[in-house]
Amino acid sequence: MPNFDLRNIFPTGEIVDVSTASSVRIPITDDMEGEVINVTTVLGGTIATAPAVITVSKGNLSMGTISILHTGSAEGDMDSLVPTSANRHLVAGDWLELTTSGASTNTIAAGFSVTIRR
């Protein structure tokens, strides 16, 4: 049986089309304050031409990027980021933002999960 850390919460969402430049924002409320320890994406299908680069930010402060490679991409491909910058600490009033570069082609969704340790 897996161990569960009750300090962790897992906001999830979807980028409707990783091949079109866009952003998804998650507002941080007081019950979500903590440290981002992981962000994972799962691709909904095959992308082409170039990687889809997802920038994860706290407001305008980058935590890093996730590169979803187009070469050999397929439904279910998972990629992740373990932020190491000081920007990974969240308080109420902050927001997380996932922004896709729009460099790839094919209209493909990508789900994401953020692990926040409170």
Side-chain angles (χ1 to χ4, degrees):
M1 177 171 258
N3 273 336
F4 295 100
D5 189 331
L6 298 177
R7 297 174 298 169
N8 294 342
I9 59 171
F10 306 93
T12 61
E14 182 176 70
I15 298 170
V16 176
D17 179 5
V18 296
S19 297
T20 298
S22 63
S23 296
V24 174
R25 291 170 194 85
I26 303 168
I28 303 302
T29 56
D30 59 352
D31 59 333
M32 297 170 69
E33 291 182 336
E35 176 183 0
V36 176
I37 60 172
N38 193 341
V39 181
T40 300
T41 61
V42 59
L43 193 57
T46 301
I47 59 173
T49 307
V53 178
I54 310 297
T55 301
V56 179
S57 304
K58 175 177 83 172
N60 296 323
L61 304 171
S62 176
M63 291 184 199
T65 60
I66 301 170
S67 187
I68 302 172
L69 299 180
H70 64 293
T71 308
S73 66
E75 179 179 14
D77 284 354
M78 296 177 70
D79 296 285
S80 62
L81 165 69
V82 176
T84 57
S85 73
N87 303 330
R88 69 185 182 275
H89 301 283
L90 306 172
V91 297
D94 288 339
W95 71 91
L96 280 177
E97 185 169 37
L98 283 81
T99 302
T100 180
S101 62
S104 59
T105 55
N106 297 345
T107 303
I108 300 298
F112 64 84
S113 177
V114 179
T115 304
I116 299 173
R117 177 152 300 149
R118 299 180 287 175

